[in-house]
Amino acid sequence: MDYFDILVSILGSTVRLSIPLIFTALAGLFSERAGIFDIGLEGKMLAAAFASATAAYLTGSPWVGLASGIGVSLAFSLVHGFASITNRGNQIVSGVAINFAAAGLTAVLGHAWFRQGGRTPGLAGDARFGPIILPGADALRDVPFVGPLYANVISGNNLLTYLAFLAVPLSWWVLYRTRFGLRLRAVGENPGAVDTAGISVTWLRYRAVLVAGFLCGFSGTYLAIAQSAAFINNMSAGKGYIALAALIFAKWRPVPVMLACLLFGFLDAFANFMQGKSVPGIGEVPVQIFQALPYILTCVLLAGLIGSANPPKAGGVPYVKER
Amino acid sequence: ADVKPALVYGTGGKFDKSFNEAAYAGAEKFKAETGIDYRDFEPTGDTQGEQAIRNFASKGYNPVVAVSFAWTSAIEKVAAEFPDTKFVIVDSVVDLPNVRSVVYKEEEGSYLVGILAGMASKTGKVGFVGGMDIPLIRKFECGYEQGARAANPSIEVLQNMTGTTGAAWNDPVRGGELTKNQIDQGADVIYAAAGATGLGVLQTAADNGKLSIGVDSNQNYLHPGSVLTSMVKRVDLAVYNAYSDAKGDKFSAGVQALGVKEDGVAYALDEHNAKLVTDEMKAAVEKAKADIIAGTIKVHDYMSDNSCPK
Amino acid sequence: MNATSQVPAIELIGIDKKFGAVHANKNINLTVAKGAIHGIIGENGAGKSTLMSILYGFYQADSGAIHVNGRPVAIHDSQSAIAAGIGMVHQHFMLVENFTVLENVMLGAEGGALLGKGTETARAALKKLEEDYELEVDPDAVIEELPVGLQQRVEILKAMYRGAEILILDEPTGVLTPSEADHLFKILGVLRDQGKTVVLITHKLREIMAITDTVSVMRRGEMVATRKTSETTVEELAELMVGRRVLLHVEKGAAKPGEVFLSVRNLTVKDSRGVTMVDDVSFDVRAGEIVGIAGVAGNGQSELLEAITGIRKPASGEILINGEPVAGFDPARLRSLGLAHIPEDRHHMGLVLPFEESLNAILGYHHDERYGKGLFLDPDAVRRAALDEIEKYDIRPPNPRLKTANFSGGNQQKIVVAREIERDPKLLIVGQPTRGVDIGAIEFIHRRIVETRDAGKAVLLVSVELDEIRSLSDRVLVMFAGKIVGEKTPDTGEQTLGLMMAGIAA
Amino acid sequence: MSTASVPLPNWINYALLPLINLILAFLVSGLVVWIIGENPYDALVLMLQGALGRGEGIGFTLFYATNFIFTGLSVAVAYHAGLFNIGSEGQAYVGGLGAALVALSLDHYVPWYVTMPFAICAAALFGAAGAAIPAWLQAKRNSHIVITTIMFNYIISSLMNYVLVHVLIVPGKMAPETRTFIEGGKLPKLDWLMSMFGLDLGPAPLNVSFLVALVMCALVWVLIWRTKLGYEMRTLGISRSVAAYAGIPYVKIVIITMLISGGLAGMMALNPVMGASARLQVEFVGGAGFVGIAVSLMGRNHPVGIVLAAILFGVLYQGGADLSFEMPTITRDMIMVIQGLVILFAGALEYMFRPAIVRIYQKMTRD
Ligand SMILES: Nc1ncnc2c1ncn2[C@@H]1O[C@H](COP(=O)(O)OP(=O)(O)OP(=O)(O)O)[C@@H](O)[C@H]1O
Ligand SMILES: Nc1ncnc2c1ncn2[C@@H]1O[C@H](COP(=O)(O)OP(=O)(O)OP(=O)(O)O)[C@@H](O)[C@H]1O
Ligand SMILES: [Mg+2]
Ligand SMILES: [Mg+2]
């Protein structure tokens, strides 16, 4: 297997591993740009994964699965909104609570309903989002360079993968080219400006938080019924936090968010590939280095060694008019 | 004698379609035959095993079977506290007078499925995806590699481990990714010895039209036509025997090593994979089995020297 | 006058508003005639901003009614206020700092769900507004890079863009130089001529007299009077504002200046954005004299004080205390050299509001062995010490265990003043000593400051109240745009000093 | 009218409101139990019996509570200085390395009471080291401590993973864990304490680190309310600008606070590592760091409150284990659900009922 094939293989893996990060980080982008910190991304993703797998198993339809995943994730978003917007509670605390509740609930319900150690039953092919072979993938496969890239990296992914890459320019467009986006960015910087412009800060922030829930619904669904064929206990396994790291790494901007997620996905894919192989002169590189690398990179960024990351000014602070 | 059997699973959950489910099947069989009910417990984390085992012992359950090496130190502790209770630990050895340790010669079973893999592979590359990187799993891999090489001396065996902690048993996503890597590198038969992670391996192989090999329970039915065979580890026997030995006052402590000869490990053949295993393959694997029983083939045990002959 | 102009632009009827325990507006009635400039004056905390924010829908009144153009309107939020033709420029600007001028102006009035077309319309409309009212500002400039004066223009443009017929300005001149203020007044005149109604909040009597048609006075949440400007006097308004005749002169003897104690040499200070706020400033303060720094807020006084007191590192230059260079020392070290500091903003700097009073009485001096040996803090010792100050300064209620937030503004200020002066400093730095403080407390605090001087200490006083500067200082320095533009005696006319503060004459 | 600044008496703020929130959390948890087809009341009874019914149950409850006291104190100390340390989990994890290294090197030579002081210091030191970089990033680079401590939870976890799998593992053993400490590296159990109350500790691992935890409570109380450093921390926690005015050095206080916070978290490792399992295991912290957030919130950042809240969570953990044993449909993950709900209601929604309470209170005091 030559280097090019290896590269293609790693890139294919990178794409698959980045998708949940992209959806989730974009979710965080909408929420945090509106001034609501969201460390409950992890929990929402997990809850959505469980809901989608359960619904897809019961109905046999991935679409019902997706809808349920989104629905449950939205419900968690509403809780976060209720706590941090309506009740002006601490957003971090609310996020922590959501992560706990989601991890616990999915395990408890999964165990009680399916008795498979918290797993949901495996899904048949048509209850999942299967791979989509793009036109000409097989024909082009043998064309040097472009062929394998097209056939193995670009083609053959499932619908949600393509949606994730579509969501990036769409998010950009929404944020920078629509009224909603303008207001959303404004409310994360100075909610007073939005309020005095006659716009409801509360409703605007709720919408942002709901968009976040909507997108987490996709990432959870992807995990459970596109990438895998069942829900597994704690299957988000910290991806929500990596997405958060990617969001910071990208300085809260949509296209860099995608690039950061791809980078972190690549690190993961590369770690898988490097596992058990030894590098000449160094020996086997411990997988733990790759696992820690996204976080280390983000901290390096935060240390100001590679630019600086300034969060939205009103981020994390509830909008309080009257003491 | 009166028995009040109890069973503590590994952390994968009772219905993991694999290791724990096999243990469950053994207990169910005992219940069906004798009408004696049993209590079981599914710990969902490492810290709960010890408490559950102790709970059973202190509530008078006897014998208490703990499947999974993860409960080794728990059994060491609790068995010392309850010298009158009989304990069984599966996949690990605890040297106490009231503990029976059941270990399997996984290298032998893996050798058999390795032969099938070597013969079924068209690319000359087969894969192995392990769960947690521990000597026990290396033992699976080593036996598999020996078998595959016996079938095809020029075969290349790709191998990956899912992780280094308990979470590696429950990570089908990474299992699937590792499988995809191996497929990309040309492997067309992949053996999963990874608990629930293996479900991802089997799934990915099926999704990509490749063959896979299941483990512990007979997993052939999960993806009919795609699972070449399963390396069956008769954990059910360990459980069943523990209960019925205790009932018949035949319970003995000490180490039981179950291999091909004892029918403790085997390869699975049923209607789901009948089409995949040719007569020629069947003949070869049956011969190997006979040779192992006869002692003419000696499969190297990785754990005997922590290395695998190349 | 025709019949329609008889209908008032705004009528507030029985507006009542409480913030928790604070009764900010008490049953307020107010009528603003159409096409007039109506001034509202009152001391800090009188409830002016609250009242206008209720009219603008930013706060909701607990009870009361609002009529606009004779018709009752329900103002639930700023949206309904805007729809009723009301615009407001807030005391603290409501701008998105990293947005452009255009984006800020458009916010809330984008003209469609997509920005594309609306942006161009807005740009054109903005250009027209700018020309009509001499409010030029680059529509593509980013707010945080604009000076305050221009930021205020953006606020006015925002209101005009939304078609405001009634424009409320909350203390618009606090951040402006006199010439900028004059320009603003010219604009307000133009607006009035076009039939718009202007409500102007200020506590500068000069401005009221100069521009308004009618003036209303608020005191402690109540509307105490409304007068035609032409029929009232500065003295009457001042009395109405504070509830008794203002004593503007402080009894004090001549200064006996001694050695130079504080010396500032070529000091340059930048703010957090890197903008030079204090530009090559030099001056001396001698023991036994009060040096006052006059200036419009925002001309670098705050940064100057912060640099001298060690809160902000100067960019360059020297600060000498008793001949020793101290630039860059931290506040704790400066305190040990005999510096005391009454900060400009007691809430932002001087007090930890949730602490009990006694803990604020030692703030900054808490390392003193009197309050506990070594690493430890002895609450009883702290309370005993606090009680001393409470008695001496007549702080009410006299309870060192009461939460500081529950003291009134004047008493809170006394806590700070007591703490700083009672440490017997050699150098007292004072910023806005009487902001939001009632007349009785003002006298008291002024007397303490003079006593400190008479005890031979050096005092540096910064205030935006020219009266305060003139009545307390022995020498007056005028600061403008980060520079000391001149030194005058305190009996220099208000006119002259005002021009200097505007950067016009030296 | 807004009610946020209306003062309420302490018994409402510190007892009634938390109690209402707690009850609500339990009601919703009961709903979950009911949804999966079990009787919530029975579940509650089982849980309380399991946690408090016997000496052994109480021993386990206090054992878990010990963990939570340490992590709760860790969160609370940082909170007083306005820092939200959600890295107690990782700091405790790396603290375990410190304790284990001491135990491994001394257990053959000296008795436990010689090992213990060294282990306490090492655990605290390692825990503090785990907080050092986030502290520095916050102090010097102004990067949000919440974010950096989250990142460090993962970084530390990877590091510990590596150390256990590649360095400390006993060759030939399956599980990535150290060898079992012998007597000199084990902390003695508190049988005597339990028998003073006529209870039998049984196999419950309650050990002397419980007493260490109580001592730390007292020390934290002294630190926060009786030292100048504590005064500076609290001032900084309320207002950075006031602290700057008062000459309280931001960088120094942030770093010291975080080191103390990390140290307290690190000490938590004594309990499971040297007190219970007598070896260092992968992921032995098991979420106790996050529980510390809940404990600190519930306990209003006061040591006494923290002890009470830690015992409450101890009851949850031990009772939950017993519950899942007796009601096999309910797994132990139910604890996490309850925990999440407690954090939600007592933390994020803590003021949900305040306006209503204020109104009722005002009505009552007016009459
Ligand atoms: N959002 C708020 N929440 C609670 N109390 C408030 C709020 N805004 C104002 N107050 C209180 O209401 C009272 C009136 O304040 P307001 O801002 O209306 O005064 P003002 O007359 O505008 O004073 P200034 O001249 O200082 O601007 C003050 O006691 C103030 O502390
Ligand atoms: N932010 C606040 N939180 C709690 N209570 C407050 C707050 N602001 C004011 N109060 C309470 O309201 C009362 C009136 O406060 P305010 O500052 O308006 O006093 P004042 O009448 O202006 O007195 P002074 O003349 O001393 O400034 C105070 O006694 C205080 O207890
Ligand atoms: Mg005001
Ligand atoms: Mg006042």
Side-chain angles (χ1 to χ4, degrees), chain C residues 18-19 29 52 76 131 190 196 211 218-219 230 245 256 367 399 404 408 435 472 490 500:
Chain C
K18 280 185 187 167
F19 292 113
N29 295 304
M52 287 302 118
H76 319 286
E131 283 163 4
V190 175
K196 312 226 179 217
I211 180 165
M218 288 187 74
R219 185 172 72 224
S230 51
R245 189 152 287 283
K256 300 184 205 64
H367 282 295
N399 178 2
T404 310
S408 74
R435 184 186 269 179
L472 282 180
M500 286 171 73

PDB file of all heavy atoms in Angstrom, chain C residues 18-19 29 52 76 131 190 196 211 218-219 230 245 256 367 399 404 408 435 472 490 500:
ATOM      1  N   LYS C  18     -40.338  50.485  41.270  1.00  0.00           N
ATOM      2  CA  LYS C  18     -39.425  50.073  42.341  1.00  0.00           C
ATOM      3  C   LYS C  18     -38.407  49.089  41.798  1.00  0.00           C
ATOM      4  O   LYS C  18     -38.755  48.204  41.018  1.00  0.00           O
ATOM      5  CB  LYS C  18     -40.211  49.367  43.450  1.00  0.00           C
ATOM      6  CG  LYS C  18     -40.913  50.280  44.401  1.00  0.00           C
ATOM      7  CD  LYS C  18     -41.537  49.435  45.501  1.00  0.00           C
ATOM      8  CE  LYS C  18     -42.407  50.287  46.416  1.00  0.00           C
ATOM      9  NZ  LYS C  18     -43.237  49.447  47.283  1.00  0.00           N
ATOM     10  N   PHE C  19     -37.169  49.252  42.222  1.00  0.00           N
ATOM     11  CA  PHE C  19     -36.166  48.202  41.986  1.00  0.00           C
ATOM     12  C   PHE C  19     -35.915  47.567  43.341  1.00  0.00           C
ATOM     13  O   PHE C  19     -35.174  48.121  44.146  1.00  0.00           O
ATOM     14  CB  PHE C  19     -34.860  48.780  41.470  1.00  0.00           C
ATOM     15  CG  PHE C  19     -34.943  49.355  40.091  1.00  0.00           C
ATOM     16  CD1 PHE C  19     -34.801  50.711  39.877  1.00  0.00           C
ATOM     17  CD2 PHE C  19     -35.154  48.523  38.992  1.00  0.00           C
ATOM     18  CE1 PHE C  19     -34.861  51.233  38.603  1.00  0.00           C
ATOM     19  CE2 PHE C  19     -35.212  49.054  37.724  1.00  0.00           C
ATOM     20  CZ  PHE C  19     -35.072  50.416  37.517  1.00  0.00           C
ATOM     21  N   ASN C  29     -45.879  62.425  37.297  1.00  0.00           N
ATOM     22  CA  ASN C  29     -46.671  62.970  36.207  1.00  0.00           C
ATOM     23  C   ASN C  29     -45.776  63.935  35.442  1.00  0.00           C
ATOM     24  O   ASN C  29     -45.053  64.727  36.041  1.00  0.00           O
ATOM     25  CB  ASN C  29     -47.887  63.726  36.749  1.00  0.00           C
ATOM     26  CG  ASN C  29     -48.821  62.763  37.460  1.00  0.00           C
ATOM     27  OD1 ASN C  29     -49.268  61.778  36.877  1.00  0.00           O
ATOM     28  ND2 ASN C  29     -49.068  63.034  38.727  1.00  0.00           N
ATOM     29  N   MET C  52     -37.165  57.823  31.989  1.00  0.00           N
ATOM     30  CA  MET C  52     -37.082  57.858  30.530  1.00  0.00           C
ATOM     31  C   MET C  52     -36.979  56.448  29.947  1.00  0.00           C
ATOM     32  O   MET C  52     -37.505  56.172  28.869  1.00  0.00           O
ATOM     33  CB  MET C  52     -35.883  58.707  30.098  1.00  0.00           C
ATOM     34  CG  MET C  52     -36.112  60.179  30.312  1.00  0.00           C
ATOM     35  SD  MET C  52     -37.575  60.762  29.410  1.00  0.00           S
ATOM     36  CE  MET C  52     -38.621  61.324  30.729  1.00  0.00           C
ATOM     37  N   HIS C  76     -44.769  48.028  26.010  1.00  0.00           N
ATOM     38  CA  HIS C  76     -44.279  46.817  26.684  1.00  0.00           C
ATOM     39  C   HIS C  76     -42.776  46.693  26.530  1.00  0.00           C
ATOM     40  O   HIS C  76     -42.102  46.094  27.313  1.00  0.00           O
ATOM     41  CB  HIS C  76     -44.864  45.544  26.068  1.00  0.00           C
ATOM     42  CG  HIS C  76     -46.306  45.662  25.722  1.00  0.00           C
ATOM     43  ND1 HIS C  76     -47.271  45.655  26.674  1.00  0.00           N
ATOM     44  CD2 HIS C  76     -46.929  45.798  24.529  1.00  0.00           C
ATOM     45  CE1 HIS C  76     -48.455  45.769  26.083  1.00  0.00           C
ATOM     46  NE2 HIS C  76     -48.272  45.862  24.782  1.00  0.00           N
ATOM     47  N   GLU C 131     -26.396  64.226   6.142  1.00  0.00           N
ATOM     48  CA  GLU C 131     -26.341  65.541   5.512  1.00  0.00           C
ATOM     49  C   GLU C 131     -27.353  66.493   6.133  1.00  0.00           C
ATOM     50  O   GLU C 131     -27.048  67.634   6.441  1.00  0.00           O
ATOM     51  CB  GLU C 131     -26.592  65.399   4.002  1.00  0.00           C
ATOM     52  CG  GLU C 131     -25.361  64.865   3.292  1.00  0.00           C
ATOM     53  CD  GLU C 131     -25.683  64.338   1.914  1.00  0.00           C
ATOM     54  OE1 GLU C 131     -26.850  64.454   1.476  1.00  0.00           O
ATOM     55  OE2 GLU C 131     -24.773  63.790   1.271  1.00  0.00           O
ATOM     56  N   VAL C 190     -32.021  72.218  15.361  1.00  0.00           N
ATOM     57  CA  VAL C 190     -32.528  71.870  14.028  1.00  0.00           C
ATOM     58  C   VAL C 190     -33.711  70.902  14.147  1.00  0.00           C
ATOM     59  O   VAL C 190     -34.745  71.071  13.492  1.00  0.00           O
ATOM     60  CB  VAL C 190     -31.414  71.238  13.166  1.00  0.00           C
ATOM     61  CG1 VAL C 190     -31.976  70.779  11.827  1.00  0.00           C
ATOM     62  CG2 VAL C 190     -30.280  72.213  12.967  1.00  0.00           C
ATOM     63  N   LYS C 196     -39.721  68.184  15.767  1.00  0.00           N
ATOM     64  CA  LYS C 196     -39.494  67.035  16.645  1.00  0.00           C
ATOM     65  C   LYS C 196     -39.443  67.503  18.100  1.00  0.00           C
ATOM     66  O   LYS C 196     -39.148  68.651  18.383  1.00  0.00           O
ATOM     67  CB  LYS C 196     -38.182  66.352  16.285  1.00  0.00           C
ATOM     68  CG  LYS C 196     -38.061  66.103  14.789  1.00  0.00           C
ATOM     69  CD  LYS C 196     -37.597  64.727  14.446  1.00  0.00           C
ATOM     70  CE  LYS C 196     -37.554  64.602  12.947  1.00  0.00           C
ATOM     71  NZ  LYS C 196     -37.913  63.407  12.338  1.00  0.00           N
ATOM     72  N   ILE C 211     -30.525  75.854  26.372  1.00  0.00           N
ATOM     73  CA  ILE C 211     -31.202  75.247  25.231  1.00  0.00           C
ATOM     74  C   ILE C 211     -32.660  74.852  25.440  1.00  0.00           C
ATOM     75  O   ILE C 211     -33.429  74.799  24.486  1.00  0.00           O
ATOM     76  CB  ILE C 211     -30.385  74.042  24.711  1.00  0.00           C
ATOM     77  CG1 ILE C 211     -31.111  73.421  23.520  1.00  0.00           C
ATOM     78  CG2 ILE C 211     -30.173  73.012  25.783  1.00  0.00           C
ATOM     79  CD1 ILE C 211     -30.281  72.503  22.727  1.00  0.00           C
ATOM     80  N   MET C 218     -36.337  66.542  39.150  1.00  0.00           N
ATOM     81  CA  MET C 218     -36.623  65.327  39.914  1.00  0.00           C
ATOM     82  C   MET C 218     -35.748  65.294  41.149  1.00  0.00           C
ATOM     83  O   MET C 218     -34.596  65.722  41.119  1.00  0.00           O
ATOM     84  CB  MET C 218     -36.370  64.077  39.071  1.00  0.00           C
ATOM     85  CG  MET C 218     -37.407  63.866  37.991  1.00  0.00           C
ATOM     86  SD  MET C 218     -37.167  62.290  37.167  1.00  0.00           S
ATOM     87  CE  MET C 218     -37.757  61.162  38.404  1.00  0.00           C
ATOM     88  N   ARG C 219     -36.320  64.783  42.200  1.00  0.00           N
ATOM     89  CA  ARG C 219     -35.530  64.612  43.417  1.00  0.00           C
ATOM     90  C   ARG C 219     -36.007  63.354  44.113  1.00  0.00           C
ATOM     91  O   ARG C 219     -37.178  63.197  44.400  1.00  0.00           O
ATOM     92  CB  ARG C 219     -35.708  65.827  44.330  1.00  0.00           C
ATOM     93  CG  ARG C 219     -34.818  65.767  45.560  1.00  0.00           C
ATOM     94  CD  ARG C 219     -34.865  67.066  46.332  1.00  0.00           C
ATOM     95  NE  ARG C 219     -36.129  67.235  47.017  1.00  0.00           N
ATOM     96  CZ  ARG C 219     -36.822  68.381  47.050  1.00  0.00           C
ATOM     97  NH1 ARG C 219     -36.381  69.442  46.417  1.00  0.00           N
ATOM     98  NH2 ARG C 219     -37.948  68.444  47.709  1.00  0.00           N
ATOM     99  N   SER C 230     -37.571  80.110  30.645  1.00  0.00           N
ATOM    100  CA  SER C 230     -37.432  81.566  30.644  1.00  0.00           C
ATOM    101  C   SER C 230     -37.891  82.165  31.969  1.00  0.00           C
ATOM    102  O   SER C 230     -37.587  83.314  32.269  1.00  0.00           O
ATOM    103  CB  SER C 230     -38.249  82.139  29.489  1.00  0.00           C
ATOM    104  OG  SER C 230     -39.567  81.623  29.543  1.00  0.00           O
ATOM    105  N   ARG C 245     -30.988  75.216  49.961  1.00  0.00           N
ATOM    106  CA  ARG C 245     -30.081  76.144  49.284  1.00  0.00           C
ATOM    107  C   ARG C 245     -28.666  75.558  49.202  1.00  0.00           C
ATOM    108  O   ARG C 245     -28.157  75.006  50.165  1.00  0.00           O
ATOM    109  CB  ARG C 245     -30.078  77.485  50.013  1.00  0.00           C
ATOM    110  CG  ARG C 245     -29.352  78.564  49.261  1.00  0.00           C
ATOM    111  CD  ARG C 245     -29.889  79.936  49.595  1.00  0.00           C
ATOM    112  NE  ARG C 245     -31.211  80.199  48.991  1.00  0.00           N
ATOM    113  CZ  ARG C 245     -31.384  80.513  47.703  1.00  0.00           C
ATOM    114  NH1 ARG C 245     -30.369  80.589  46.869  1.00  0.00           N
ATOM    115  NH2 ARG C 245     -32.587  80.756  47.236  1.00  0.00           N
ATOM    116  N   LYS C 256      -0.735  76.584  52.978  1.00  0.00           N
ATOM    117  CA  LYS C 256       0.664  76.816  53.327  1.00  0.00           C
ATOM    118  C   LYS C 256       1.486  75.722  52.676  1.00  0.00           C
ATOM    119  O   LYS C 256       1.882  74.751  53.333  1.00  0.00           O
ATOM    120  CB  LYS C 256       0.841  76.765  54.848  1.00  0.00           C
ATOM    121  CG  LYS C 256       0.007  77.812  55.577  1.00  0.00           C
ATOM    122  CD  LYS C 256       0.307  77.755  57.060  1.00  0.00           C
ATOM    123  CE  LYS C 256      -0.839  78.278  57.909  1.00  0.00           C
ATOM    124  NZ  LYS C 256      -2.072  77.467  57.800  1.00  0.00           N
ATOM    125  N   HIS C 367      -3.678  44.240  55.372  1.00  0.00           N
ATOM    126  CA  HIS C 367      -2.470  43.542  55.829  1.00  0.00           C
ATOM    127  C   HIS C 367      -1.957  44.083  57.160  1.00  0.00           C
ATOM    128  O   HIS C 367      -1.077  43.496  57.777  1.00  0.00           O
ATOM    129  CB  HIS C 367      -1.372  43.628  54.769  1.00  0.00           C
ATOM    130  CG  HIS C 367      -1.585  42.665  53.649  1.00  0.00           C
ATOM    131  ND1 HIS C 367      -1.552  41.299  53.837  1.00  0.00           N
ATOM    132  CD2 HIS C 367      -1.864  42.858  52.346  1.00  0.00           C
ATOM    133  CE1 HIS C 367      -1.789  40.694  52.691  1.00  0.00           C
ATOM    134  NE2 HIS C 367      -1.997  41.622  51.770  1.00  0.00           N
ATOM    135  N   ASN C 399     -23.739  50.334  62.124  1.00  0.00           N
ATOM    136  CA  ASN C 399     -23.636  48.894  62.335  1.00  0.00           C
ATOM    137  C   ASN C 399     -22.583  48.295  61.428  1.00  0.00           C
ATOM    138  O   ASN C 399     -22.801  48.133  60.229  1.00  0.00           O
ATOM    139  CB  ASN C 399     -25.002  48.252  62.058  1.00  0.00           C
ATOM    140  CG  ASN C 399     -24.957  46.737  62.201  1.00  0.00           C
ATOM    141  OD1 ASN C 399     -23.932  46.162  62.547  1.00  0.00           O
ATOM    142  ND2 ASN C 399     -26.076  46.103  61.925  1.00  0.00           N
ATOM    143  N   THR C 404     -22.735  46.139  53.097  1.00  0.00           N
ATOM    144  CA  THR C 404     -22.427  47.473  52.585  1.00  0.00           C
ATOM    145  C   THR C 404     -23.436  47.928  51.534  1.00  0.00           C
ATOM    146  O   THR C 404     -23.761  49.112  51.436  1.00  0.00           O
ATOM    147  CB  THR C 404     -21.013  47.465  51.986  1.00  0.00           C
ATOM    148  OG1 THR C 404     -20.130  46.876  52.946  1.00  0.00           O
ATOM    149  CG2 THR C 404     -20.548  48.866  51.672  1.00  0.00           C
ATOM    150  N   SER C 408     -26.890  53.733  52.159  1.00  0.00           N
ATOM    151  CA  SER C 408     -27.226  54.636  51.058  1.00  0.00           C
ATOM    152  C   SER C 408     -25.945  55.157  50.422  1.00  0.00           C
ATOM    153  O   SER C 408     -24.857  55.043  50.983  1.00  0.00           O
ATOM    154  CB  SER C 408     -28.054  55.800  51.581  1.00  0.00           C
ATOM    155  OG  SER C 408     -27.217  56.669  52.301  1.00  0.00           O
ATOM    156  N   ARG C 435     -19.780  62.408  44.151  1.00  0.00           N
ATOM    157  CA  ARG C 435     -20.713  61.944  43.120  1.00  0.00           C
ATOM    158  C   ARG C 435     -21.869  61.178  43.770  1.00  0.00           C
ATOM    159  O   ARG C 435     -21.667  60.230  44.508  1.00  0.00           O
ATOM    160  CB  ARG C 435     -19.965  61.034  42.143  1.00  0.00           C
ATOM    161  CG  ARG C 435     -20.809  60.568  40.980  1.00  0.00           C
ATOM    162  CD  ARG C 435     -20.041  59.573  40.142  1.00  0.00           C
ATOM    163  NE  ARG C 435     -19.291  60.241  39.072  1.00  0.00           N
ATOM    164  CZ  ARG C 435     -18.529  59.576  38.211  1.00  0.00           C
ATOM    165  NH1 ARG C 435     -18.400  58.276  38.290  1.00  0.00           N
ATOM    166  NH2 ARG C 435     -17.890  60.216  37.261  1.00  0.00           N
ATOM    167  N   LEU C 472     -12.606  73.967  46.263  1.00  0.00           N
ATOM    168  CA  LEU C 472     -11.670  73.223  47.110  1.00  0.00           C
ATOM    169  C   LEU C 472     -10.200  73.489  46.799  1.00  0.00           C
ATOM    170  O   LEU C 472      -9.359  73.484  47.685  1.00  0.00           O
ATOM    171  CB  LEU C 472     -11.918  71.711  46.966  1.00  0.00           C
ATOM    172  CG  LEU C 472     -13.115  71.108  47.709  1.00  0.00           C
ATOM    173  CD1 LEU C 472     -13.189  69.613  47.432  1.00  0.00           C
ATOM    174  CD2 LEU C 472     -12.988  71.354  49.204  1.00  0.00           C
ATOM    175  N   PRO C 490      -7.920  79.240  41.535  1.00  0.00           N
ATOM    176  CA  PRO C 490      -9.307  78.796  41.649  1.00  0.00           C
ATOM    177  C   PRO C 490     -10.319  79.917  41.447  1.00  0.00           C
ATOM    178  O   PRO C 490     -11.482  79.632  41.188  1.00  0.00           O
ATOM    179  CB  PRO C 490      -9.379  78.243  43.073  1.00  0.00           C
ATOM    180  CG  PRO C 490      -8.163  78.710  43.770  1.00  0.00           C
ATOM    181  CD  PRO C 490      -7.136  78.957  42.755  1.00  0.00           C
ATOM    182  N   MET C 500     -11.011  76.494  28.354  1.00  0.00           N
ATOM    183  CA  MET C 500      -9.808  75.657  28.402  1.00  0.00           C
ATOM    184  C   MET C 500     -10.179  74.178  28.379  1.00  0.00           C
ATOM    185  O   MET C 500      -9.546  73.362  27.713  1.00  0.00           O
ATOM    186  CB  MET C 500      -9.008  75.951  29.666  1.00  0.00           C
ATOM    187  CG  MET C 500      -8.270  77.278  29.603  1.00  0.00           C
ATOM    188  SD  MET C 500      -7.569  77.671  31.197  1.00  0.00           S
ATOM    189  CE  MET C 500      -6.212  76.512  31.266  1.00  0.00           C
TER     190      MET C 500
END
